[in-house]
């Protein structure tokens, strides 16, 4: 007997990062976790928004010529530049003008959008990240023997608004703790070539986490940090994330490298894109496009380089290039951000990130459907993936108080 696979609504997206974060909100990584004896849990996971740390915040004295744009200028005990006096001889009054030597005291500005930012001792840090995330790819379904597909050609398309809050507290100037939560409003669509499109929307809190950040090196030339986080993804997985960054300070810039790793422990034994809908006969069914069908747990890892530069006292610029392995595929991405900080306690950071290469293109993934009789997943064939796209834009409001 031939089985007909209808065009079903779906939730699909595994970051292809975020991060990563790093990074951040570093991009969207979403996944469905499923036990192939039942319907998949359909929720989303995202990368942690990796926190940032400062260069240094000490007060020093410099020659005026050293006052570059990375510093606030604060004159210290300046006397008049010109000293006037009268000799006391009214008939022969002498007036002398003398230029005094003076120095200017400068304080390095604590840039909140710096990739090494964390709150100092006794202060709170808040990063509120509002982002719009996009993910899409083309797919061609190749049915197994005895299976008919009404329309094998389609495109997956996801758009998502999210708000993520990272709230931290400085235990010392070098060590801080962090709590995080994320709320998403998402729309998903299968855009089929012939058949009517299938859509689905979803909203809610899906990510909670705790962690710490340690700036273990901060000298005149070098800075380095280590961070560790635990995250719970609603109905998906429990995750442990490690993040290492090291930077070299050159004039008003910091050039840095980073490496991040994730351990994901799934609720089920597979993960991918889960779809809940109905067959052409009106029976309830679940369609599952699997990234991996033997994955009680998995690892992600990524590394990259970046540069953070101070353009003037209030404006900053940040670039990152990342290469990552995310279990079933590899990806290269670029990120750029411009920051505005008018004072010591508030900054806005506008960023954009996009994948420039992804090994998902050309891959064949297995797809499954629950049987209308017993509800058990059965393999229906494969799906060929092409034109994988992943991008995000966002605005961060950063406070330290």
């Amino acid at each position: 007997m031939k089985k007909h696979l209808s065009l079903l609504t779906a939730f699909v997206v595994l970051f292809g990062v975020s991060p990563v974060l790093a990074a951040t909100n570093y991009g969207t990584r979403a996944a469905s976790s499923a036990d192939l004896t039942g319907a998949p849990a359909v929720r989303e996971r995202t990368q942690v928004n990796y926190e940032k740390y400062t260069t240094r915040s000490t007060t020093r004295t410099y020659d005026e010529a050293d006052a570059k744009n990375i510093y606030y200028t604060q004159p210290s005990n300046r006397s008049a530049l010109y000293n006037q006096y009268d000799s006391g001889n009214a008939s022969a009054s002498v007036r002398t003008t003398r230029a005094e030597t003076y120095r200017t005291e400068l304080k390095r500005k604590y840039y909140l959008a710096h990739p090494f930012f964390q709150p100092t001792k006794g202060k709170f840090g808040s990063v509120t990240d509002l982002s719009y995330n996009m993910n899409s790819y083309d797919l061609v379904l190749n049915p197994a023997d005895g299976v008919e597909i009404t329309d094998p050609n389609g495109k997956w398309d996801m758009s998502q608004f999210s708000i993520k809050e990272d709230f931290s507290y400085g235990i010392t100037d070098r060590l801080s703790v962090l709590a995080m939560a994320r709320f998403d409003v998402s729309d998903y669509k299968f855009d089929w070539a012939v058949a009517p499109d299938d859509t689905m929307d979803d909203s809610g809190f899906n990510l909670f986490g705790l962690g710490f950040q340690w700036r273990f090196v901060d000298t005149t030339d070098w800075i380095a940090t280590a961070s560790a986080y635990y995250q719970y993804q609603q109905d998906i997985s429990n995750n442990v994330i490690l993040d290492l960054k090291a930077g070299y300070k050159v004039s008003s810039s910091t050039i840095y490298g980073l490496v991040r790793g994730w351990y994901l422990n799934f609720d089920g034994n597979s993960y991918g894109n889960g779809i809940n809908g109905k067959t052409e006969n009106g029976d309830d069914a679940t369609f599952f496009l699997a990234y991996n069908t033997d994955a009680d747990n998995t690892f992600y890892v990524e590394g990259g380089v970046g540069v953070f530069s101070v353009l003037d006292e209030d404006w900053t610029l940040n670039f990152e290039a990342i290469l990552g392995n995310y279990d079933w595929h590899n990806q290269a991405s670029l990120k750029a951000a411009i920051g505005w900080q008018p004072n010591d306690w508030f900054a806005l950071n506008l960023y954009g990130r996009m994948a420039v290469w992804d090994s998902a293109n050309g891959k064949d993934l297995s797809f499954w459907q629950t049987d209308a009789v017993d509800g058990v997943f059965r393999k229906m064939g494969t799906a060929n993936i092409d034109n994988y796209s992943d991008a995000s834009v966002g605005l961060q409001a950063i406070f330290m108080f």
Side-chain angles (χ1 to χ4, degrees):
M1 177 181 69
K2 294 183 178 181
K3 296 180 180 179
H4 295 265
L5 181 64
S6 68
L7 309 177
L8 307 173
T9 57
F11 169 81
V12 199
V13 193
L14 180 70
F15 168 66
V17 196
S18 146
V20 300
L21 202 219
T24 354
N25 193 328
Y26 288 85
T28 299
R29 293 191 182 129
S32 296
S33 176
D35 185 330
L36 291 186
T37 60
V42 180
R43 292 291 298 173
E44 175 198 342
R45 72 166 300 275
T46 58
Q47 177 192 347
V48 63
N49 177 17
Y50 293 92
E51 283 312 287
K52 300 170 279 293
Y53 303 81
T54 64
T55 49
R56 64 181 187 275
S57 59
T58 57
T59 299
R60 299 176 59 182
T61 300
Y62 296 80
D63 289 330
E64 185 182 22
D66 293 333
K68 298 181 179 179
N69 59 12
I70 196 171
Y71 303 106
Y72 280 135
T73 300
Q74 296 178 338
S76 60
N77 301 322
R78 292 179 59 183
S79 59
L81 293 181
Y82 300 94
N83 184 22
Q84 299 175 341
Y85 70 94
D86 194 319
S87 67
N89 185 339
S91 62
S93 179
V94 177
R95 179 175 180 177
T96 302
T97 300
R98 175 173 63 89
E100 292 186 342
T101 300
Y102 68 94
R103 298 174 71 86
T104 302
E105 186 180 80
L106 303 169
K107 183 179 71 175
R108 186 181 291 271
K109 190 169 182 177
Y110 204 83
Y111 285 100
L112 305 183
H114 197 287
F116 291 80
F117 164 72
Q118 73 182 56
T120 53
K121 181 179 180 180
K123 291 187 176 293
F124 293 93
S126 171
V127 181
T128 304
D129 191 330
L130 180 64
S131 64
Y132 177 68
N133 310 297
M134 300 155 283
N135 177 254
S136 66
Y137 54 80
D138 297 332
L139 69 157
V140 178
L141 304 179
N142 303 302
D145 292 340
V147 177
E148 286 187 359
I149 303 297
T150 305
D151 187 353
N153 299 302
K155 178 181 180 180
W156 165 251
D157 192 12
M158 181 277 288
S159 61
Q160 177 191 79
F161 287 97
S162 67
I163 182 168
K164 184 173 183 290
E165 173 64 25
D166 292 348
F167 194 77
S168 53
Y169 174 75
I171 299 175
T172 70
D173 284 346
R174 298 294 185 94
L175 182 66
S176 63
V177 292
L178 172 72
M180 67 191 75
R182 176 165 171 155
F183 183 89
D184 298 317
V185 177
S186 307
D187 290 307
Y188 313 100
K189 179 173 68 173
F190 272 118
D191 184 2
W192 300 105
V194 178
D197 297 339
D198 294 299
T199 62
M200 175 180 170
D201 55 59
D202 179 51
S203 63
F205 285 97
N206 67 23
L207 181 69
F208 304 92
L210 294 170
F212 73 87
Q213 303 161 310
W214 177 35
R215 189 172 66 249
F216 59 93
V217 174
D218 194 357
T219 67
T220 302
D221 297 322
W222 294 95
I223 185 169
T225 61
S227 306
Y229 309 92
Y230 165 77
Q231 289 181 342
Y232 171 67
Q233 287 183 261
Q234 185 73 31
D235 299 326
I236 298 295
S237 62
N238 292 280
N239 312 320
V240 176
I241 301 104
L242 299 178
D243 175 89
L244 295 173
K245 289 196 288 285
Y248 180 68
K249 304 168 188 177
V250 182
S251 184
S252 58
S253 297
T254 302
I255 301 170
Y256 61 95
L258 60 90
V259 61
R260 300 181 184 120
W262 292 259
Y263 170 74
L264 289 78
N265 186 28
F266 293 112
D267 291 346
N269 62 8
S270 61
Y271 73 104
N273 304 327
I275 304 170
N276 298 313
K278 294 182 179 297
T279 66
E280 292 178 340
N281 297 326
D283 298 319
D284 291 334
T286 297
F287 172 80
F288 189 62
L289 182 62
Y291 297 146
N292 195 330
T293 58
D294 186 16
D296 293 328
N297 54 72
T298 193
F299 292 91
Y300 295 160
V301 63
E302 65 183 16
V305 294
V307 59
F308 175 86
S309 294
V310 176
L311 303 180
D312 66 18
E313 185 175 300
D314 294 340
W315 293 90
T316 61
L317 196 62
N318 191 196
F319 290 102
E320 279 187 5
I322 302 294
L323 179 63
N325 174 270
Y326 309 108
D327 184 40
W328 71 281
H329 70 143
N330 303 318
Q331 185 184 95
S333 63
L334 297 176
K335 180 183 177 182
I338 185 168
W340 174 63
Q341 183 175 331
N343 51 49
D344 282 337
W345 54 270
F346 171 71
L348 289 175
N349 198 42
L350 178 66
Y351 67 88
R353 176 200 161 277
M354 67 177 297
V356 294
W357 171 82
D358 202 293
S359 67
N361 294 327
K363 284 188 177 292
D364 289 318
L365 304 178
S366 62
F367 68 93
W368 303 69
Q369 182 178 343
T370 53
D371 190 279
V373 177
D374 54 20
V376 174
F377 272 107
R378 304 189 188 282
K379 188 174 180 179
M380 308 296 287
T382 61
N384 185 262
I385 303 300
D386 198 12
N387 295 324
Y388 190 95
S389 175
D390 185 18
S392 301
V393 293
L395 180 66
Q396 294 173 321
I398 309 171
F399 295 86
M400 188 171 70
F401 52 92

